[in-house]
């Protein structure tokens, strides 16, 4: 079971894993963390043209799997922008996978205000931060220690270890312990089930390293597939201290243009709550409906589950893709059927901007966190359902007060349009406009106690230098309470930083 306070379970379990696997002659590669719009755009382009078949909608991504597919690929038959994207990805792989050589990096960032509702881009979590990291990659192990000293953070934690980990390879699996950021799904503006909106909690995880297909003729049709699972200990201040967050996700590409993901997360265990194997089995089997398939006193946890799909050019042969994410918040009628749904839709397109020959990858995205009952969310509305739990885990699906899923939290909707523009030197310009209705029914939403209209416009620029990457950003926000007439609150925010290679 998980113990409170000092993460005894995490340390003892990982020590046992290391002892068992020390003698195994296996090879490991590091991960690619979420937050970098340039590398994600490059990977998505390589996937859309059929050069990269590994699933790429589960972050962090295994660089070993990407390297295995792109190593020795023929680039002579591809156009210039594809060659550029491939060269940048290969350069990143070469940089991150140097064996037995410590890599040291430093960073500094300042901002006028932390970003509360985060998209995929790595925007500031504090007014100022300075830090560094050292990483090492061996034949069996991968280690990264990353620390940042921050000022005026949202969670009052002045030291962040986000991004640190210790990993060990067992066969085609990577086991790790640390503070890894995760993003599940094809969305660019948010993920309904797991995003980088909240900081990462201490965790144990296992992830498939190389996403090769099954060899069985009965399963080969699934195509390349990935599987990841984790246990996080939510060690912030909560009604139930040290709640454990369990997550599991499988993604597959049965065809070059179709990627499908199945996700499941659950809060369970914690202070005064059962953490035994039988409770976890009840949770896995969906026995968590009080009065239907389990007694209320033995309800195992608070669950979310669902699917996401991204389909490249479903009609015609134009450069576009559609995607959706459908996440259920509870089960019904004593079985694993999901009864309350939240939804996300997106449309993605890319190409060359005439005149300046910059490449762009753009998206239009809509998300709604007001639950709807019935098959695939076509029934009546159920306000306050998403990310909340009425009985036990009343702190909600949150960490340090921020949603672990979509940044708009419960009972809200978001419409956005964004674009990443990339020049021939690998510099990128990121544009995003978001129109959000927060807490439309006045439910339990930490962002606002009343309905609120929030409009945000942001622009950021990343410049590549020989020593690293410089970033500057500017954002405008306009907030108006829909019920309490307090006028319109407008703000202009800025940030700047430098990340050493």
């Amino acid at each position: 079971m998980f113990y409170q306070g000092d993460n005894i379970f995490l340390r003892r379990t990982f020590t046992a894993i290391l002892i068992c696997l020390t003698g195994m002659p296996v090879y490991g590669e590091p991960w690619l963390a979420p937050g970098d719009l340039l590398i994600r755009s490059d990977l998505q382009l390589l996937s859309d043209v059929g050069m990269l078949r590994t699933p790429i909608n589960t972050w962090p991504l295994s660089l070993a799997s990407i390297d295995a597919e792109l190593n020795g690929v023929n680039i002579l038959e591809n156009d210039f922008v594809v060659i550029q994207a491939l060269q940048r990805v290969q350069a990143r792989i070469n940089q991150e996978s140097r064996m037995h050589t410590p890599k040291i990096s430093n960073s500094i960032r300042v901002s006028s205000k932390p970003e509360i509702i985060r998209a995929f881009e790595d925007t500031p979590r504090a007014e100022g931060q300075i830090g560094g990291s050292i990483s090492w990659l061996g034949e069996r192990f991968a280690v990264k220690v990353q620390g940042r000293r921050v000022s005026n953070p949202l969670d009052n934690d002045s030291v962040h270890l986000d991004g640190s980990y210790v990993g060990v390879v067992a066969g085609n699996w990577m086991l790790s312990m640390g503070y890894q950021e995760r993003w599940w799904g094809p969305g660019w503006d948010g993920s309904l089930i797991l995003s980088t909106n909240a900081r990462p909690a201490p965790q144990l995880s296992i992830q498939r390293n190389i996403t090769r297909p099954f060899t069985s003729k009965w399963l080969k049709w699934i195509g390349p597939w990935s599987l990841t699972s984790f246990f996080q200990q939510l060690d912030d201040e909560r009604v139930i201290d040290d709640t454990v967050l369990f997550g599991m996700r499988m993604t597959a590409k049965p065809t070059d243009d179709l990627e499908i993901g199945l996700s499941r997360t659950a809060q369970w265990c914690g202070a005064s709550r059962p953490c035994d194997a039988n409770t976890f089995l009840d949770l896995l089997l969906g026995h968590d409906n009080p009065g239907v398939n389990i007694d209320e006193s033995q309800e195992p946890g608070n669950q979310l589950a669902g699917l996401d799909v991204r389909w490249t050019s479903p009609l015609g042969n134009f450069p576009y893709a559609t995607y959706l994410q459908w996440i259920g918040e509870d089960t019904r009628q004593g079985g694993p059927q999901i009864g309350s749904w939240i939804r996300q839709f997106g449309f993605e397109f890319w190409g060359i901007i005439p005149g300046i020959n910059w490449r762009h990858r753009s998206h239009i995205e809509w998300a709604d966190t007001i639950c709807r009952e019935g098959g695939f969310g076509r029934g009546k509305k159920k306000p306050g359902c998403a990310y909340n739990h009425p009985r036990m885990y009343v702190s909600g699906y949150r960490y340090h007060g921020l949603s672990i899923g979509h940044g708009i939290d419960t009972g809200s909707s978001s419409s956005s349009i964004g674009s990443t523009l990339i020049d021939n030197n690998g510099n990128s310009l990121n544009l995003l406009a978001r129109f959000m209705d927060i807490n439309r029914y006045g439910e339990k939403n930490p962002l606002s106690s009343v309905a609120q209209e929030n409009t945000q416009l942001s622009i950021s620029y990343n410049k590549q230098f020989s020593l690293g990457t410089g970033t500057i950003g500017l954002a405008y926000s306009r907030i108006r309470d829909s019920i309490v007439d307090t006028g319109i609150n407008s703000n202009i925010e800025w940030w700047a930083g430098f990340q050493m290679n």
Side-chain angles (χ1 to χ4, degrees):
M1 62 178 288
F2 277 76
Y3 293 86
Q4 291 79 26
D6 59 354
N7 299 332
I8 295 174
F9 174 85
L10 297 177
R11 294 203 300 269
R12 289 180 177 175
T13 302
F14 194 69
T15 299
I17 292 171
L18 294 182
I19 292 173
C20 293
L21 299 177
T22 297
M24 299 186 67
V26 292
Y27 179 78
E29 288 280 359
W31 297 278
L32 192 60
D36 188 334
L37 287 171
L38 174 62
I39 196 70
R40 183 179 179 183
S41 299
D42 285 340
L43 289 171
Q44 195 62 73
L45 178 63
L46 298 180
S47 178
D48 289 330
V49 299
M51 186 177 293
L52 183 64
R53 286 209 64 200
T54 186
I56 58 173
N57 287 332
T58 303
W59 296 74
L61 292 173
S62 169
L63 280 176
S65 187
I66 297 171
D67 186 31
E69 286 201 53
L70 298 182
N71 187 26
V73 68
N74 184 6
I75 64 175
L76 298 179
E77 298 179 0
N78 293 283
D79 60 39
F80 182 60
V81 294
V82 175
I83 294 174
Q84 283 186 321
L86 176 63
Q87 290 174 339
R88 280 192 294 266
V89 171
Q90 289 177 329
R92 181 67 175 269
I93 292 172
N94 293 335
Q95 179 186 16
E96 298 292 344
S97 61
R98 289 176 294 184
M99 301 284 289
H100 307 295
T101 303
K103 177 188 174 185
I104 299 175
S105 179
N106 299 298
S107 66
I108 186 171
R109 176 182 283 179
V110 292
S111 69
S112 60
K113 186 180 179 181
E115 186 65 45
I116 297 178
I117 304 176
R118 300 179 98 223
F120 185 85
E121 183 180 9
D122 183 18
T123 49
R125 286 193 168 112
E127 290 185 5
Q129 72 174 43
I130 184 170
S133 68
I134 180 170
S135 57
W136 181 87
L137 180 67
E139 294 180 355
R140 303 182 184 93
F141 304 105
V143 180
K144 182 175 183 179
V145 179
Q146 181 166 277
R148 300 185 184 98
R149 180 76 177 183
V150 301
S151 63
N152 296 325
L154 294 172
D155 55 11
N156 298 318
D157 189 353
S158 60
V159 177
H160 292 176
L161 298 177
D162 305 359
S164 301
Y165 62 82
V166 177
V168 59
V169 174
N172 193 30
W173 297 91
M174 176 74 83
L175 294 89
S176 65
M177 172 182 178
Y179 295 80
Q180 288 178 275
E181 301 251 33
R182 299 184 183 276
W183 183 283
W184 287 2
W188 293 79
D189 193 37
S191 169
L192 296 176
I193 193 166
L194 192 60
S195 73
T196 58
N197 186 65
R199 288 181 53 213
Q203 59 195 265
L204 290 170
S205 67
I206 182 170
Q207 181 172 336
R208 195 166 189 251
N209 210 20
I210 306 293
T211 63
R212 62 175 68 97
F214 287 105
T215 56
S216 166
K217 66 178 181 179
W218 304 108
L219 298 175
K220 192 174 182 180
W221 63 270
I222 294 175
W225 61 277
S226 67
L227 180 67
T228 184
S229 185
F230 67 81
F231 290 90
Q232 292 186 7
Q233 191 166 50
L234 305 181
D235 56 352
D236 55 343
E237 294 184 5
R238 313 181 69 83
V239 173
I240 297 180
D241 290 333
D242 295 305
T243 295
V244 174
L245 178 66
F246 163 74
M248 182 169 60
R249 176 171 168 85
M250 179 178 180
T251 52
K253 291 190 70 174
T255 66
D256 287 348
D257 54 5
L258 181 65
E259 181 169 342
I260 302 171
L262 300 174
S263 302
R264 188 173 184 183
T265 60
Q267 292 172 299
W268 71 296
C269 195
S272 74
R273 294 296 308 165
C275 305
D276 55 273
N278 288 334
T279 302
F280 185 65
L281 182 61
D282 284 337
L283 183 135
L284 285 179
L285 297 177
H287 296 163
D288 62 349
N289 295 280
V292 179
N293 58 7
I294 199 168
D295 185 78
E296 184 172 339
S297 63
Q298 298 181 354
E299 183 180 3
N302 175 37
Q303 303 198 50
L304 288 85
L307 60 87
D308 54 80
V309 177
R310 186 185 186 277
W311 195 355
T312 303
S313 305
L315 296 175
N317 193 28
F318 305 104
Y320 78 98
T322 60
Y323 58 88
L324 63 83
Q325 189 176 48
W326 221 265
I327 300 298
E329 253 279 17
D330 296 317
T331 57
R332 58 177 182 173
Q333 301 303 320
Q337 304 95 337
I338 298 172
S340 302
W341 297 88
I342 53 179
R343 301 155 304 284
Q344 180 188 71
F345 300 95
F347 179 79
E348 198 174 329
F349 53 101
W350 56 93
I352 301 295
I353 300 176
I356 61 175
N357 290 325
W358 285 27
R359 175 167 67 89
H360 80 90
R361 180 164 292 270
S362 306
H363 69 270
I364 300 171
E365 190 170 301
W366 174 82
D368 187 0
T369 59
I370 296 179
C371 294
R372 285 184 177 270
E373 296 182 344
F376 287 95
R378 295 176 303 204
K380 66 180 181 179
K381 295 179 180 179
K382 193 176 179 182
C385 148
Y387 309 141
N388 288 322
H389 195 257
R391 290 173 295 276
M392 298 177 304
Y393 297 101
V394 295
S395 299
Y397 192 69
R398 302 177 182 97
Y399 186 56
H400 288 294
L402 295 177
S403 170
I404 296 171
H406 204 290
I408 57 178
D409 212 290
T410 190
S412 307
S413 65
S414 172
S415 301
S416 66
I417 180 170
S419 184
T420 294
L421 288 70
I422 305 168
D423 69 12
N424 293 330
N425 297 315
N427 306 310
S428 60
L429 183 69
N430 306 306
L431 307 171
L432 179 63
R434 294 191 287 187
F435 308 93
M436 297 169 285
D437 288 325
I438 305 296
N439 200 10
R440 286 187 284 176
Y441 294 93
E443 300 293 333
K444 184 181 177 181
N445 186 323
L447 297 177
S448 175
S449 59
V450 298
Q452 184 183 86
E453 296 177 358
N454 190 335
T455 300
Q456 292 185 353
L457 306 173
S458 67
I459 180 172
S460 64
Y461 180 67
N462 299 301
K463 172 70 174 179
Q464 304 296 323
F465 297 95
S466 58
L467 294 178
T469 303
T471 301
I472 56 173
L474 188 67
Y476 166 80
S477 63
R478 179 182 182 273
I479 301 174
R480 184 177 73 88
D481 289 340
S482 301
I483 298 177
V484 181
D485 188 9
T486 57
I488 296 175
N489 183 15
S490 299
N491 295 288
I492 295 179
E493 304 161 12
W494 57 268
W495 65 92
F498 187 83
Q499 174 72 50
M500 182 182 295
N501 289 332

